[in-house]
Structures are given as C-alpha cells and as structure tokens.
Amino acid sequence: MKPVNAHYFKSIQKRDGRVDDFDLEKIVMAIYKAAEAVGGHDMDTARRLANLVVVYLRDEKKIVLPAVEEVQDAVEKILIENGHAKTAKAYILYRDRRTRIREGKSELMDAVAETLVETNRENANVGNSPSAKMLQIASAASRQYYLSRLIPEDIAQAHINGDIHIHDLDFYAKTLTCVQIPLGRLLHTGFDTGHGYIRPPKRPSSAAALAAIILQSSQNDMHGGQSFAFFDRDMADFVDGADENEVYQAMEGLVYNLNSMHSRAGAQVPFSSINLGCDTSEAGRLVTRSLLQAYARGLGRGETPIFPNIIFRVKSGVNLNPGDPNYDLFQLAIQTAATRMNPTFSFMDAPHNKPFNGEVAYMGCRTRVIADRHGNAVSDGRGNLSFTSINLPRIALKSNGDVNQFYRLLEETLTLVARQLMHRYQIQAHLKVKDMPFLMGQALYVESDQLQPYDEIARAIRHGTLSIGFIGLAETLTVLTGANQAQSQASRQLGLEIVRFMRRMTDFFADQYDLNFTLLATPAEGLSGRFLGIDKKVYGIIPGVTDKDYYTNSFHVPVSSDVTAYEKMSIEAPYHEMTNAGHISYVELDAPPVNNLAAFETVIRTMGQLGVGYGGINFPIDECRICGYRGLIDEECPTCGSQDIRRIRRITGYLSTVDRFNAAKQSELHDRHAHLH
C-alpha cells in the first residue's frame, strides 16, 4: 500500500502550537501498540487503518493542517467503525495515560514554582526551610509519578477528581505510616542506627536521650507518627533508684529534644506521642510525674511545647478515683492540660477499649491499633500501613439526596478504596528489610526479628492495619436530610447508620482479604479544604454544605454549632466504638481553664462515662515572644506592647502555631465556637 503522508499531509500542529513534520509511522505504531495490548500482532492491519485515518481527515473533515488531538480523535473513530472496539479501548486508555503524564509534568513544574516561594500548608509541622522545600519538591514529583505510572487508572482518577484521597501519596511505594515503638526492649537490648551499636543506658538522662534518638530514627524510615505505648513502664527500669531531680532533668531534656530534633530531610521534628499514666510502680510513677512537670514548665522561656503529644491513660482502679494508686497523677495531668492543652486523655474503660485490658494506645492524630487477625491484640510493635479517605459529601451530592442511591454509591466507593489499599499493600509487602533499616532492621515491628536484610517484609506488616477514612459526615447529612447531626434527631440517627454501614463493609474487607482492615475517623488537615474546593467548583455554593472553606472533620459536630460540651460528647461518643482505626473528640473553650479545674475534670470524666475512647479540651494559648507573657492576647502584648505573638491551637490532634495552619484550617479556626456549660 502506497504511503500517503508525503502527499496528503506535510505537517502537523503540536499541542503547544508548534508545527512539525507529519509522520504516518507514528499513527501506525500507536494503533499497533494498542492492538498488541489486546492480543493483536498484525502490522499490515495497523498500516491500513492508519491510512484510513488520513483519508478521513483529508476527505471528510477537509483538514489541511491536522492537530494532534484531531488525529487521535480520528484514530478512535476509525478503529470503532472498522470493528476494532477492543483496540480502540486500549488506545483510549493509552491516550489518557499519556495525557495524565503530560499534565503531570506541567502540574509538577507549577508545584515546584510555588514551593520555591513557600512550602504548602498541607502539614502544619513542616517549616519553610530549604530542606523543607526540597522535601516538598520531591513529594510533588513522587505524587505525579505514582498517579500517572503506578496506580490503576480508575483509582488514580478517583483521587484526582476528589472522590477519594490517598493519604501520603508521595510515599505510596516507599514505606509505612506509623508505629507504636517497643521502647523497653530497645533500651534493654541496645540498637544500631547504622553507624554502630548503641549499648543499653544506665542513667535516666541517657535513657531519655536514647528515647529521642529512637523516635527520630524510626521517623526517618516512615512518613507518619511515632509513639511510645507504655512510656512510664518502659522507662521505669532506667530511673529506679535515681532521685527526683535527675529524673526531672532527663524528662526536660526529652521535651527539649523532641521540639528541636529534625527528621525527614530536616524538614520537621518527629510526630511524637507518649502514652502513660497506668504504671503504678514507684519508678513508673516518677517518670509520669517528672514528664508532666517538665511539660508544664515549658521550654527555655516558658513556651508551650508542641511535642510530644502526651496521652494520659485513664483507668478505673488505677488513677480515676480517690484512693486509686495513681489518682494524684491524674490530678497532675488535669492541671498540666488546663495550662498547656496537653495531655489529651484516652479511656481504657470505654466499651471498645475495655476488652483489651489496658493494652490500647493512641497516637496524637488519633490512630489506634490493637486487634490483630495474625497475632495477639497488642499495640507495641504495630502501626497503620496506609489509609485512604472517602469524600462523603460528594457521594451525597451525587445521589441527589436519595438515601438508597447514596448507600449504593457508598458501597461502590468503599470497594474501590479497599482495592486501592490492597494494591498499595502488595507493593509494601515486597519492600525489603534493608529499605527500612531501623524500623525493620532493628526489629521494631512484630515478627521483623525473624527477617534478614534482603527478606521481604510481608510477614511483619500483616500485623499492621489498612484503614478506610471519611470526612464531612455533617455536610453529608445536610445534603440527605437538610440538617446535620447537631440539628436533628433524625439526622443523628442516620449518621450513626451510615458509619455503622461503613464499619460493616470494612469488617467484610478484613474477612475477604484476611488483613486488618479498619475504619478511621480521618484527621483531615489539608484534605478538608481539598475536597471542599473541588466540590464547590462542581456543585456551586450549597448552604450548610459548600458555603465555607472546609468540610467538617470526620464525624464531628460542625465547629460553629451552639451546643454544650455534654451535648457534643453525647453526639460524638457512639462513633468512637465504630471507628476502630482511631478517633478523637474535643470540647472547645474560649480561654485556658486554669482557674476552674473542677469543671475541666468534670468534662474529662463525662467523656469517659459517655464512651469516648480518646478526647481532649481545646482553648487558645497566646504567648509573647518578647517578654514571655501568656494569656489571651488580642493584637499586642498587654505587658510589653509587642505584636510578636506565638498563637498555639490544636490541629487534627497535634498542637501547632496558627501561622502554620493552611487556609482551610485558618477558616475553620475562625468558625470555632466555645461549647457552653
């Protein structure tokens, strides 16, 4: 067959407007590759079809200078009309992938340009240093690569469109999310960070310093939080016999280190959490008391520490009531929290925690890992592998308020997310011990001590969790019923039914895949604004749904609701039992409650009585950087007149300074109402 390109078309217009030589062979090869993808191997047929494309463009479309998009549209038409539907589908998929790669390159360059000016605020713990910028540029490149080259087409598109959100996408094929570190074992046996063996400590100061190094070393192998599940118990052997001052100095050093010791390419300090409060030995009690006192005192000029996130474990018979051996420590925790907003409180007697006999531990952002299909129900040595969140309001909007349609679409989306989590898990399972030299190489993870450096980590990570998250239940209910869970009893009931349905589906996936699938009340930081921004463009401004800059976090009552603390906890508490991957509830105050500790304690006790698993009390903390004044500060310090004010608030679970909040969270902060008593 005589080639036609030389005679009929001399040139083609590229996407950027440039004109280049027309080459029929490129069309031939594109058709052949598409056919090859579905089992075809006929070059002559590919060439015949390519010629038909040119004839169609020339004779029917009367085109003189074809554009690339016009040629591709013509290829799809000719393939379908000539009975090659499968080849056409393969060609369309190939074309879509090439488009996403091309657009990804453009988006990547835009992201680099923006980051060079200032890092984004998706994570309030990331600064604006050169290393932070380098980390975010690398993250942008990784995200584009995974979306265009690795993740299945429909899943990638669901993320891009805002139906779902794959968290920590930049680490998709690199590592795991978080871990509860077995501190006691590491301190007793020693460990190796890669440059030599660190022997077991003998004094409190050495043990505390090594605890900080362990957190940092593990953080460098992961992208999420690092936590000690039993800090008081694990440190007890190393403070036994030491005087109080020595132990206090050790704990003060730990607090200093965790607010100054950077990891992850030097871009941020570790996301550190410390669980304590239930060890009744004298040494364990001394650890808890000293750490709380050091945290309450603050940093060098009295500043409120951002890290660690201290989580005080409340348990009847241990510390909850007068006469309990650690009741005095519970009181000290309340005093500290009323000043510094930390500790938060986890409730070991909550219905979903009590069966585990005090083994439950949390992380600052709300993560909870306990039940295990492949081993004992423990927190130590386990963590979340990855999590992906569902845009609940989007599903409600797609359903046009039809509840039955909503459930059908929700089931489809949950199934898609489960498939995505399994895709990621299968990649993670093929990683080797040497890829995470501290986390796996030093046997922090359950059963990783049975593995060699070049072994795959599947045996260890089957103990981790794969979590399906969600945000925007309040807005979802508004779409479906016209009211959120704080405005209507019917909406409240529907909200419980929706989350209960998601939990049943998640349990089904756990059985189907024989892995620890769990349901998460997502800690939406950057995500709350991302989902809302996409939906506002598609659906416009809908009162009570898209008329602000963020979606409400997980199952929470909207922050602007005028409800009492008791009402808020009563509404939110039932969701804690359903969200077995993690949850948190807050009560918001308009000022530090340092002069009303009785009311503060009442709120904490009420949380426990209502079945809250993990909770905290928020209030504004303003600190003058010049004179150190601490209190509610408007524009300038009432003592020295400085406007250099450090404003600390809680975001998703951790503390942060307001200047690091992204735009969506700044807007949410502005809307927060104190919960009336």
Side-chain angles (χ1 to χ4, degrees), residues 593-630:
V594 289
N595 297 318
N596 197 355
L597 295 181
F600 190 102
E601 181 174 349
T602 297
V603 172
I604 298 300
R605 288 182 176 277
T606 300
M607 287 181 176
Q609 291 163 4
L610 290 173
V612 167
Y614 182 34
I617 298 180
N618 295 345
F619 48 84
I621 297 177
D622 298 334
E623 299 171 345
C624 177
R625 287 191 172 97
I626 303 303
C627 72
Y629 175 86
R630 185 168 69 249

Side-chain angles (χ1 to χ4, degrees), residues 14-313:
K14 310 283 279 187
R15 289 182 179 84
D16 60 6
R18 289 183 296 112
V19 175
D20 202 355
D21 292 339
F22 183 85
D23 185 357
L24 181 67
E25 290 303 309
K26 290 185 178 179
I27 303 177
V28 174
M29 290 309 300
I31 294 173
Y32 180 78
K33 290 291 186 183
E36 193 175 41
V38 293
H41 300 283
D42 190 340
M43 184 64 77
D44 287 340
T45 298
R47 192 172 301 281
R48 178 178 62 82
L49 293 167
N51 276 278
L52 289 176
V53 169
V54 173
V55 170
Y56 164 74
L57 290 168
R58 179 201 66 194
D59 295 344
E60 293 190 38
K61 299 291 287 183
K62 305 299 183 183
I63 292 173
V64 176
L65 177 62
V68 169
E69 293 289 343
E70 291 174 321
V71 173
Q72 291 181 337
D73 289 343
V75 170
E76 292 178 15
K77 176 181 173 63
I78 294 299
L79 287 171
I80 292 171
E81 290 181 350
N82 284 270
H84 298 280
K86 289 184 178 179
T87 301
K89 183 176 181 180
Y91 179 81
I92 291 168
L93 290 174
Y94 169 78
R95 181 181 178 184
D96 178 67
R97 178 174 288 276
R98 296 298 301 173
T99 298
R100 288 198 289 113
I101 292 172
R102 185 171 57 255
E103 291 175 348
K105 290 177 180 177
S106 176
E107 292 169 5
L108 174 59
M109 291 303 101
D110 291 342
V112 170
E114 292 174 5
T115 301
L116 288 174
V117 176
E118 183 170 12
T119 56
N120 70 46
R121 291 290 175 241
E122 183 176 343
N123 174 354
N125 191 28
V126 174
N128 195 43
S129 66
S131 56
K133 289 183 170 69
M134 286 297 293
L135 173 65
Q136 292 208 339
I137 290 170
S139 294
S142 293
R143 285 194 294 269
Q144 293 300 338
Y145 172 80
Y146 292 137
L147 285 173
S148 61
R149 306 288 183 91
L150 182 68
I151 298 172
E153 300 276 344
D154 57 337
I155 294 172
Q157 204 58 52
H159 173 90
I160 293 167
N161 292 342
D163 293 320
I164 67 172
H165 183 82
I166 302 170
H167 291 269
D168 301 293
L169 176 60
D170 46 341
F171 284 91
Y172 194 92
K174 297 185 182 78
T175 184
L176 318 177
T177 299
C178 58
V179 67
Q180 292 280 3
I181 299 171
L183 176 63
R185 181 176 59 75
L186 288 171
L187 291 180
H188 278 286
T189 62
F191 55 90
D192 190 338
T193 61
H195 295 284
Y197 174 71
I198 307 298
R199 64 176 177 268
K202 296 181 179 179
R203 304 301 308 167
S205 57
S206 299
L210 291 183
I213 291 171
I214 288 167
L215 281 168
Q216 183 187 41
S217 299
S218 185
Q219 179 78 88
N220 280 327
D221 276 2
M222 310 186 80
H223 59 72
Q226 308 299 312
S227 180
F228 296 138
F230 305 98
F231 184 73
D232 44 358
R233 181 198 70 188
D234 290 351
M235 287 289 294
D237 284 350
F238 303 96
V239 307
D240 196 18
D243 61 50
E244 289 195 24
N245 183 61
E246 185 180 7
V247 178
Y248 174 84
Q249 293 293 330
M251 296 302 108
E252 183 178 59
L254 177 67
V255 173
Y256 277 32
N257 279 332
L258 294 183
N259 286 276
S260 60
M261 185 172 63
H262 285 73
S263 62
R264 280 186 68 182
Q268 63 187 47
V269 295
F271 284 100
S272 55
S273 297
I274 289 178
N275 292 262
L276 45 67
C278 284
D279 191 299
T280 58
S281 70
E282 279 306 309
R285 284 171 43 78
L286 180 55
V287 169
T288 297
R289 183 166 58 250
S290 298
L291 181 58
L292 290 173
Q293 289 172 341
Y295 194 92
R297 184 175 181 182
L299 301 177
R301 294 181 178 176
E303 304 98 324
T304 295
I306 300 299
F307 291 104
N309 191 76
I310 302 175
I311 304 165
F312 190 90
R313 300 147 60 89

Side-chain angles (χ1 to χ4, degrees), residues 494-508:
L494 180 59
L496 293 170
E497 290 173 3
I498 288 171
V499 177
R500 195 172 291 118
F501 175 84
M502 289 194 286
R503 172 60 187 275
R504 286 198 301 269
M505 286 288 295
T506 305
D507 290 346
F508 167 77

Side-chain angles (χ1 to χ4, degrees), residues 538-558:
V538 175
Y539 297 99
I541 296 177
I542 302 171
V545 183
T546 60
D547 56 350
K548 50 190 184 303
D549 296 324
Y550 57 90
Y551 279 143
T552 301
N553 208 321
S554 62
F555 55 69
H556 287 182
V557 168

